[in-house]
Amino acid sequence: MSIFRPLHDRVVLRRISPAEKTAGGIIIPDTAQEKPIEAVVVAVGPGARDAQGQIVPLAVREGDRVLFGKWSGTEVRVAGEDLLIVRESDLFGVVAAAA
């Protein structure tokens, strides 16, 4: 993502779309679906400054799958793509890859 570089402790996310069909085969219409709370990290800022002025790097990296609060962040459109900008503190954690 070379067009947009977040500042400080901000993280740019791309939401992961939920399944449009249940395990039983029932198709869920778009209007009934909830906003996904899982996303892929697209870009990260350099980090926040601590009390001594030193930059503390972020714990997440590009490509990590993360969970975040349903109403967290700010939705933006960059280069025709809908993205979400959140602070690292709004992230709940990194989702471990399935084995």
Side-chain angles (χ1 to χ4, degrees):
M1 168 129 231
S2 61
I3 295 173
F4 185 81
R5 182 177 52 91
L7 300 175
H8 308 292
D9 64 339
R10 291 185 176 74
V11 180
V12 179
L13 305 174
R14 179 182 302 120
R15 291 182 192 262
I16 297 174
S17 299
E20 296 177 5
K21 194 185 290 187
T22 66
I26 298 171
I27 297 174
I28 303 169
D30 289 340
T31 55
Q33 290 181 1
E34 298 231 354
K35 285 187 174 183
I37 59 167
E38 188 173 348
V40 173
V41 176
V42 176
V44 297
R49 294 196 181 269
D50 63 11
Q52 289 77 34
Q54 301 295 317
I55 293 180
V56 178
L58 302 183
V60 295
R61 287 178 248 154
E62 292 180 20
D64 284 349
R65 290 177 67 152
V66 296
L67 295 178
F68 59 94
K70 187 182 286 190
W71 307 110
S72 298
T74 302
E75 294 179 352
V76 295
R77 189 168 192 86
V78 177
E81 184 176 13
D82 291 325
L83 300 170
L84 186 69
I85 301 173
V86 300
R87 289 188 177 272
E88 185 185 36
S89 60
D90 291 337
L91 301 177
F92 296 143
V94 177
V95 178

